[in-house]
Amino acid sequence: MVTAQPDTPRVLVIEDEEALRFTLAHSLKKEGYQVLAASRGDDGLKLAREARPDLILLDLMLPGLDGIQICRLLRRDSTVPIIMLTALGGEGDRVAGLDTGADDYLAKPFGMRELLARVRALLRRSASGSQPPVVKDGALVSGDLALDRERREATRAGKPLRMKPKEFELLLFFAQHPGRVFTREQILDEVWGLDFYGGPRTVDVHVRWLRQKIEADPANPDRIKTVRGSGYLFEG
Ligand code: CA
C-alpha cells in the first residue's frame, strides 16, 4: 500500500507501453505524486471512476478503449484534468482538432521535464479556485449557460442559442478554461486548428457574435472579457 500524505495529488497513468508506463510512474513518484497505473483502456476508465485521481495521463492508442473514447466517457461527469499522450507525426494535431475534452496534449517522444511541468501547471490550475466547470447530465454548465458537447447545442437560461459550429467550439473552449487568459493566436490554434489560414481578427469577430448571445450587456461583457494587450478571458 502507498502511504502518502492525504493531500498528495494522485496521478493516473493509462499507457500500454510498459517501459513508458514504468518511466512515467517512476518520475511522478520522485516528484512526490501518488501514482495509479493501467495498461488497458477499459481498466484505466474503471480506475479513473473508482479512484478519482487528481490528474490523468492518457495514451491515445490503447487496447480495450482508446484515449479519445475514454476522454469522452469521463467528460460526461468529470472535469478531472487530462493530458493526452499522442504519437508523433501529426496525430497530436488531429487529436487537438477533435473535441476530446482533454486539457493538454503532448506528442511522443517527450521529455520528462516537459511532462512534469505540464502536470504541475494543470494541477495548479485546477486547484487555483477559478470556478471549475460543472458537468451536469452530459452538459458543461457555467452560470446560465449549458453546453451539450455531444449534440453541439448550447442553451442560455434554458433557452436554445443559435450559433455557428465555430461559435459553439469557441464558447466550449472558453467554458472549459475559465479564468485563464488566452491570446488570439492560442485561441486560433486551439479552436480553429493549425490548418486555418485566417488571422486573429477571426477570433475578434466570433467573440463579438458570442457576446451578442451570451452577455446581458454585450457592450460591457462580464463573461468574455478583453484583456488589453493580451487576448481574452472567460469568467466562469
Ligand atoms: Ca499506446
Side-chain angles (χ1 to χ4, degrees):
M1 284 301 288
V2 183
T3 51
Q5 301 298 318
D7 57 350
T8 306
R10 293 192 304 165
V11 179
L12 170 60
V13 178
I14 310 178
E15 167 63 66
D16 60 329
E17 279 171 60
E18 196 178 354
L20 180 56
R21 192 173 64 245
F22 181 83
T23 308
L24 285 168
H26 180 74
S27 303
L28 289 163
K29 280 180 193 161
K30 245 173 70 183
E31 288 289 300
Y33 299 113
Q34 285 188 68
V35 179
L36 304 160
S39 59
R40 289 180 53 90
D42 40 5
D43 296 341
L45 178 66
K46 196 160 167 266
L47 204 51
R49 285 180 166 156
E50 287 171 3
R52 305 243 155 221
D54 299 294
L55 184 139
I56 300 177
L57 295 179
L58 180 58
D59 185 27
L60 178 61
M61 302 300 288
L62 288 163
L65 281 171
D66 72 26
I68 292 172
Q69 291 172 306
I70 293 172
C71 234
R72 288 190 173 147
L73 290 167
L74 280 175
R75 280 291 175 260
R76 288 185 181 171
D77 57 7
S78 163
T79 57
V80 59
I82 298 174
I83 301 177
M84 192 86 101
L85 309 177
T86 65
L88 204 60
E91 209 173 39
D93 300 346
R94 196 172 62 79
V95 170
L98 298 168
D99 175 42
T100 58
D103 299 272
D104 204 352
Y105 306 87
L106 208 50
K108 296 177 186 176
F110 48 79
M112 218 36 83
R113 216 181 265 194
E114 168 75 11
L115 175 100
L116 292 170
R118 305 260 191 119
V119 167
R120 266 196 304 278
L122 261 186
L123 283 172
R124 199 165 46 228
R125 198 198 300 164
S126 71
S128 72
S130 165
Q131 299 263 325
V134 178
V135 180
K136 208 177 141 196
D137 300 330
L140 197 147
V141 177
S142 174
D144 60 357
L145 297 171
L147 306 176
D148 187 320
R149 283 176 286 201
E150 302 234 322
R151 293 187 184 150
R152 324 296 295 169
E153 286 169 4
T155 58
R156 181 176 171 217
K159 294 198 182 113
L161 291 172
R162 288 175 65 95
M163 47 177 72
K164 297 184 170 76
K166 278 296 175 215
E167 285 178 82
F168 179 85
E169 280 175 45
L170 178 59
L171 183 57
L172 181 63
F173 173 73
F174 277 137
Q176 283 170 327
H177 304 95
R180 279 182 67 193
V181 178
F182 291 97
T183 65
R184 290 168 177 79
E185 288 74 19
Q186 284 173 323
I187 294 170
L188 275 181
D189 281 355
E190 295 281 347
V191 177
W192 275 264
L194 300 174
D195 55 349
F196 177 73
Y197 297 103
R201 285 285 302 148
T202 304
V203 177
D204 298 334
V205 171
H206 280 75
V207 164
R208 199 161 67 230
W209 288 341
L210 276 182
R211 281 175 173 159
Q212 298 291 338
K213 294 169 188 177
I214 69 163
E215 300 281 357
D217 177 4
N220 295 294
D222 58 14
R223 300 306 304 267
I224 306 175
K225 295 191 168 159
T226 304
V227 182
R228 205 168 290 279
S230 299
Y232 294 106
L233 174 149
F234 184 81
E235 290 281 2

